[in-house]
C-alpha cells in the first residue's frame, strides 16, 4: 500500500470472502471518533444540482442554500462561491481553494475537459436551437459519477490506489451492459481529448467499474446534497447491516465514529446502504451495487428493527433522550412478529415498491398529499399491527410530519414527529447520537419554539379542530423549557453524530444561547444544565419527566388521529 492509515485504525487480515479489512488499534466507546481519514487520496465531487452552490475543493456550501431546519444562525460560517473563469463548471469559495484544486486536479486537465464539454454541447445545441435560445444549463456539465472518473484518470496517485482494488468488471459488463460501458469510456476519453485505443479503453473501463464498487454517496444531511466520495482507506471498510461504526463527511475528509464499543483488534464495519430497509431490498441493493450477498446476523436471521434494537449493548445511553421507557427498547412487545408472520412479509413486499418508488423531497404539497394518502392507505396492516418502526410505514410517518410543518400546520407536524421519535426512530436507531435522531430532535426543538406564541384560537390548517386541541394541550406545557432541554441534547450529541462543524451544531448552539439569555430564566437554566450533566439523578430525572417526557408523550398521542384525519379520507 502506498498510504499510511491514520492513528486508530490499521489494515487487517485478508479473508477469501470479504477481502481486505480494517481493524481498530485501540479500544473505542460509543460515539468516539475512531479516525479522521486524511484527504490525500480522496476524490470528493458535489452532485450536479448543487455544483454551482458548492466549493469544488473544500465542499463548503453557499449560505444561500435553503435548509429544512431553518436559516443559519449568527455563528454559522457565511459562504459565497464563484465560478472558474476557464470552465465555468467548478466553483470556489476562496482563491486559496481554487489554487489548491488547480494543483490537485483542475489544472491537470479537468478545467480543459469541462470547458470542452460545454463547447461541444453548445455547438450541438446551436445547430438545432433558434437564434438566441442556446442556454447554459446543467446539461452542459458531466454527470456526477463521470466527473469523479475524470478526476481519477487525471491523478496518478489515485490510479495507483485503484489498481489494487476489485472492480467486478465481468459482472458490470454482464447482461448486455458491456456496450454501455464502452460507450461511456469512449465519451470520457473524447472529452478528455485522449486517444481511443484498446489500452486506453480497457484502463478507463477498469476505473469506471472500480470507482462504482469502491466509492460512496457523499450525503450532506443538512441540505439533501449527495455527491461522490472515494478514498482507498474508507473503501477497505467492510459492510454489515449491524455495523459497529459509521462514516460522516466533513469537507474532503471522512470522520469514522464508533457506533458501539469496539475492542482493540476488532474489525471495523460500516453499512454501505440504509440498514433498516426490508431484508430483500437490502440484499438486492448490495448485489446490484457491490456484487455480494450479506451474511451478517441481521440478514442471516432476518432480524427486524425491534430485534436488532433489543440486542444493542448500550441502550442505557437513552436516559439522555426523548425515549420515555428504556424497558420498551430492551423488551419491545413486537419483536419477532415479522419473522413468524409470512403473510405480513409478503404484504410488505407487495406495498414496498409503491411506498418507496419516488422520493417526496422537493415535490409540491399537492402531489405530496396524494402520495401520502396512497401510502398511508397501503400501510394499513402495518398500522393495525403497531409496527411503526418498520418500513415503509416509518418513512410515511416522517414524511407526514414534514408535510404538516411545511404546510404551516405546526401543531400537527409537532405531534406527528413526537410520535416518530418515540415509536419509530428510537427502535431504528437505538443510540441517541445517531444522525437521524439528532436531526429529529432539532426539528422538534424548532417546532416547539415556533408554536410557543400561538394560541388555540389562532390554529390554522385543514384540521383546525384537531390543531386547536393540540394547541390547548400546548398551553399547559412549558414549550420554551422543552425546546431548551432538547437543544441542549442536540448540542451534546452533535460531535458524536457528526462533528462541531455540522450546520445543526451551529444552529442549535445559537438557539440555545438565545433561550438562555431570555430574562428571568435563571432557575430554568440551572435545572436544564443540571439534567444534562446528570440525567439519572433523582431530582434531575423528575424535572425532565415532568417538563419534557410527559408533554412529548401527550403530543405524540394525537399523531395517529392527525394522520388518519388528513390522509385516511
Amino acid at each position: 500500500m502506498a498510504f499510511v492509515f491514520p492513528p486508530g485504525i490499521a489494515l487487517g487480515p485478508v479473508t477469501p470472502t470479504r477481502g481486505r479489512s480494517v481493524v481498530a488499534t485501540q479500544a473505542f466507546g460509543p460515539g468516539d471518533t475512531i479516525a479522521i481519514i486524511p484527504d490525500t487520496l480522496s476524490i470528493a465531487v458535489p452532485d450536479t444540482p448543487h455544483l454551482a452552490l458548492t466549493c469544488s475543493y473544500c465542499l463548503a456550501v453557499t449560505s444561500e442554500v435553503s435548509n429544512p431546519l431553518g436559516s443559519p444562525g449568527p455563528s454559522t460560517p457565511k459562504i459565497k462561491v464563484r465560478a472558474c473563469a476557464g470552465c465555468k463548471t467548478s466553483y470556489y469559495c476562496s482563491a486559496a481553494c481554487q489554487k489548491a484544486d488547480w494543483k490537485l486536479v483542475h489544472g491537470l486537465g479537468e478545467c480543459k475537459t469541462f470547458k470542452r464539454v460545454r463547447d461541444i454541447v453548445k455547438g450541438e445545441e446551436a445547430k438545432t436551437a433558434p437564434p438566441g435560445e442556446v442556454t447554459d444549463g446543467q446539461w452542459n456539465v458531466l454527470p456526477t459519477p463521470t466527473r469523479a472518473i475524470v478526476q481519477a484518470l487525471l491523478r496518478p496517485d489515485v490510479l495507483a490506489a485503484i489498481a489494487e482494488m476489485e472492480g467486478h468488471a465481468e459482472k458490470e459488463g454482464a447482461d448486455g451492459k458491456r456496450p454501455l460501458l464502452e460507450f461511456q469510456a469512449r465519451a470520457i476519453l473524447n472529452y478528455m481529448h485522449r486517444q481511443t485505443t484498446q489500452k486506453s479503453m480497457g484502463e478507463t473501463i477498469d476505473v469506471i467499474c472500480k470507482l462504482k464498487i469502491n466509492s460512496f454517496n457523499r450525503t450532506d444531511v443538512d441540505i439533501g446534497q449527495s455527491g461522490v466520495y472515494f478514498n482507498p482507506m474508507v473503501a477497505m471498510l467492510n459492510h454489515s447491516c449491524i455495523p459497529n461504526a459509521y462514516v460522516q463527511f466533513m469537507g474532503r475528509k471522512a470522520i469514522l465514529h464508533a457506533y458501539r464499543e469496539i475492542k482493540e483488534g476488532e474489525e471495523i464495519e460500516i453499512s454501505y446502504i440504509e440498514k433498516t430497509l426490508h431484508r430483500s431490498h437490502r440484499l438486492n441493493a448490495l448485489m446490484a451495487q457491490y456484487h455480494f450477498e450479506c451474511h451478517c446476523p441481521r440478514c442471516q436471521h432476518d432480524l427486524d428493527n425491534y430485534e436488532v434494537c433489543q440486542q444493542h449493548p448500550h441502550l442505557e445511553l437513552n436516559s439522555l433522550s426523548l425515549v420515555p421507557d428504556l424497558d420498551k427498547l430492551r423488551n419491545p412487545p413486537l419483536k419477532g412478529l415479522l419473522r413468524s408472520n409470512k403473510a405480513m412479509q409478503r404484504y410488505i413486499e407487495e406495498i414496498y415498491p409503491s411506498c418507496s418508488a419516488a422520493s417526496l423531497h422537493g415535490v409540491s404539497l399537492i402531489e405530496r398529499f396524494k402520495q401520502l394518502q396512497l401510502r398511508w392507505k397501503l400501510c394499513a396492516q402495518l398500522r393495525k399491527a403497531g409496527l411503526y418502526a418498520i418500513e415503509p410505514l416509518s418513512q410515511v410517518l416522517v414524511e407526514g410530519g414534514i408535510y404538516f410543518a411545511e404546510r404551516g400546520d405546526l401543531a400537527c407536524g409537532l405531534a406527528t414527529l413526537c410520535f416518530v421519535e418515540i415509536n419509530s426512530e428510537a427502535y431504528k436507531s437505538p443510540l441517541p447520537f445517531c444522525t437521524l435522531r439528532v436531526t429529529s430532535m432539532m426539528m422538534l426543538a424548532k417546532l416547539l419554539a415556533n408554536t410557543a406564541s400561538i394560541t388555540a384560537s389562532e390554529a390554522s390548517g385543514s384540521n383546525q379542530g384537531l390543531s386547536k386541541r393540540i394547541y390547548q394541550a400546548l398551553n399547559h406545557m412549558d414549550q420554551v423549557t422543552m425546546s431548551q432541554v432538547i437543544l441542549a441534547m442536540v448540542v451534546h450529541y452533535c460531535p458524536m453524530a457528526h462533528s462541531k462543524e455540522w450546520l445543526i451544531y451551529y444552529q442549535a448552539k445559537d438557539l440555545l444561547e438565545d433561550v438562555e439569555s431570555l430574562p428571568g430564566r435563571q432557575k430554568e437554566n440551572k435545572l436544564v444544565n443540571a439534567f444534562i450533566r446528570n440525567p439519572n439523578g433523582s431530582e434531575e430525572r423528575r424535572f425532565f419527566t415532568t417538563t419534557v417526557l410527559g408533554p412529548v408523550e401527550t403530543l405524540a398521542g394525537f399523531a395517529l388521529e392527525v394522520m388518519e384525519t388528513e390522509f385516511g379520507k
Side-chain angles (χ1 to χ4, degrees):
M1 281 292 137
F3 52 84
V4 178
F5 282 89
I9 58 175
L11 189 63
V14 178
T15 64
T17 55
R18 289 162 62 88
R20 294 178 175 135
S21 63
V22 176
V23 298
T25 58
Q26 64 185 70
F28 295 98
D32 284 353
T33 298
I34 299 172
I36 298 178
I37 310 298
D39 64 347
T40 313
L41 290 170
S42 296
I43 293 175
V45 178
D47 64 7
T48 301
H50 294 88
L51 189 58
L53 303 169
T54 309
C55 178
S56 292
Y57 182 72
C58 74
L59 282 299
V61 179
T62 175
S63 308
E64 299 171 3
V65 177
S66 62
N67 187 290
L69 293 173
S71 303
S75 67
T76 306
K78 304 299 187 291
I79 305 295
K80 290 186 177 181
V81 295
R82 289 185 177 183
C84 167
C87 65
K88 295 182 175 61
T89 298
S90 295
Y91 286 73
Y92 301 99
C93 66
S94 66
C97 278
Q98 187 167 11
K99 184 178 180 180
D101 200 39
W102 185 265
K103 182 178 180 181
L104 179 71
V105 68
H106 204 57
L108 302 182
E110 184 187 56
C111 184
K112 291 181 178 179
T113 298
F114 290 169
K115 186 177 185 301
R116 196 173 292 115
V117 170
R118 285 187 175 272
D119 291 343
I120 291 173
V121 174
K122 277 191 173 183
E124 291 298 319
E125 187 182 16
K127 295 177 184 178
T128 57
E133 292 190 15
V134 178
T135 57
D136 193 22
Q138 290 183 357
W139 47 87
N140 291 340
V141 177
L142 290 174
T144 308
T146 306
R147 284 185 278 116
I149 294 165
V150 169
Q151 284 203 13
L153 290 169
L154 290 170
R155 292 179 57 183
D157 56 342
V158 172
L159 283 176
I162 289 176
E164 301 183 41
M165 295 183 168
E166 179 59 68
H168 296 289
E170 71 289 346
K171 295 178 182 178
E172 285 293 310
D175 301 324
K177 291 184 289 185
R178 180 72 185 187
L180 185 61
L181 280 175
E182 292 177 351
F183 176 81
Q184 186 180 5
R186 190 175 289 107
I188 290 171
L189 290 170
N190 179 44
Y191 288 135
M192 296 181 71
H193 209 54
R194 292 185 176 183
Q195 288 188 333
T196 305
T197 64
Q198 186 175 358
K199 181 181 179 182
S200 65
M201 285 285 289
E203 290 174 347
T204 304
I205 290 173
D206 185 59
V207 170
I208 291 171
C209 295
K210 288 181 176 179
L211 269 188
K212 180 178 181 291
I213 299 297
N214 294 285
S215 61
F216 291 83
N217 180 12
R218 186 193 175 279
T219 303
D220 188 316
V221 295
D222 295 319
I223 62 170
Q225 174 182 343
S226 61
V228 173
Y229 175 88
F230 166 81
N231 184 287
M233 294 179 227
V234 179
M236 289 182 187
L237 294 165
N238 282 321
H239 165 83
S240 173
C241 297
I242 308 181
N244 59 12
Y246 56 98
V247 176
Q248 294 289 1
F249 299 104
M250 184 175 66
R252 299 182 59 82
K253 297 178 181 178
I255 309 172
L256 187 61
H257 291 275
Y259 189 60
R260 62 164 176 78
E261 184 180 46
I262 299 175
K263 298 177 181 178
E264 181 180 352
E266 184 178 352
E267 181 178 2
I268 297 172
E269 298 172 314
I270 62 174
S271 182
Y272 294 174
I273 58 172
E274 173 49 57
K275 59 186 181 296
T276 62
L277 293 175
H278 196 50
R279 179 175 180 270
S280 63
H281 291 261
R282 296 199 310 272
L283 295 177
N284 290 339
L286 290 169
M287 185 59 69
Q289 175 73 21
Y290 303 103
H291 303 290
F292 72 84
E293 185 174 335
C294 183
H295 296 287
C296 74
R298 189 178 208 140
C299 292
Q300 276 190 319
H301 305 296
D302 196 11
L303 302 178
D304 61 43
N305 292 337
Y306 296 101
E307 292 174 301
V308 174
C309 174
Q310 182 193 32
Q311 296 177 16
H312 205 282
H314 306 295
L315 294 178
E316 71 280 356
L317 295 179
N318 281 283
S319 60
L320 186 61
S321 79
L322 295 178
V323 174
D325 188 354
L326 298 188
D327 287 337
K328 286 186 177 180
L329 296 184
R330 297 187 180 105
N331 299 289
L334 301 165
K335 64 172 184 173
L337 177 61
L338 283 181
R339 193 154 34 89
S340 60
N341 192 331
K342 299 299 181 184
M344 183 68 79
Q345 289 185 26
R346 289 193 297 270
Y347 159 72
I348 293 175
E349 292 285 355
E350 290 173 2
I351 68 171
Y352 219 103
S354 298
C355 289
S356 56
S359 170
L360 299 184
H361 179 72
V363 177
S364 69
L365 286 175
I366 294 175
E367 183 58 32
R368 214 182 307 180
F369 169 79
K370 293 177 182 177
Q371 284 293 322
L372 285 169
Q373 195 175 42
L374 170 65
R375 297 177 188 191
W376 182 250
K377 180 180 179 180
L378 288 173
C379 290
Q381 290 187 39
L382 284 172
R383 289 189 277 122
K384 185 177 180 180
L387 295 170
Y388 305 113
I390 301 298
E391 299 293 1
L393 176 56
S394 174
Q395 188 58 32
V396 172
L397 288 164
V398 172
E399 294 285 0
I402 295 173
Y403 165 83
F404 289 121
E406 292 188 2
R407 194 183 67 178
D409 195 344
L410 303 184
C412 288
L414 176 60
T416 305
L417 292 176
C418 281
F419 183 89
V420 168
E421 178 65 22
I422 295 173
N423 296 286
S424 177
E425 295 294 356
Y427 295 99
K428 290 172 60 181
S429 303
L431 292 188
F433 57 77
C434 294
T435 305
L436 289 177
R437 296 270 303 272
V438 175
T439 304
S440 177
M441 284 194 290
M442 184 63 180
M443 292 180 70
L444 290 177
K446 291 184 73 68
L447 285 170
L448 283 165
N450 290 335
T451 54
S453 60
I454 301 176
T455 63
S457 60
E458 297 172 316
S460 62
S462 59
N463 301 321
Q464 287 190 25
L466 190 50
S467 295
K468 185 175 182 179
R469 285 165 48 207
I470 298 173
Y471 277 116
Q472 286 173 341
L474 283 168
N475 289 340
H476 294 89
M477 301 175 187
D478 184 352
Q479 290 164 257
V480 176
T481 302
M482 290 172 69
S483 181
Q484 182 179 353
V485 173
I486 296 172
L487 287 169
M489 291 194 289
V490 171
V491 170
H492 175 80
Y493 284 127
C494 271
M496 291 177 266
H498 190 283
S499 68
K500 286 188 176 181
E501 301 302 313
W502 193 11
L503 179 58
I504 285 181
Y505 177 78
Y506 289 115
Q507 291 184 334
K509 194 166 176 289
D510 287 337
L511 288 171
L512 182 60
E513 290 174 356
D514 288 344
V515 175
E516 289 174 338
S517 64
L518 292 173
R521 290 196 57 82
Q522 290 82 0
K523 178 182 177 182
E524 287 83 356
N525 291 344
K526 184 177 179 181
L527 289 169
V528 172
N529 292 332
F531 169 71
I532 296 298
R533 287 194 303 268
N534 182 25
N536 292 313
S538 58
E539 291 298 320
E540 292 83 354
R541 198 73 202 167
R542 186 178 298 110
F543 157 75
F544 181 60
T545 301
T546 303
T547 309
V548 181
L549 283 187
V552 166
E553 285 189 279
T554 298
L555 292 170
F558 291 100
L560 295 180
E561 183 182 356
V562 165
M563 291 290 290
E564 181 61 24
T565 302
E566 183 72 16
F567 305 118
K569 299 174 183 177

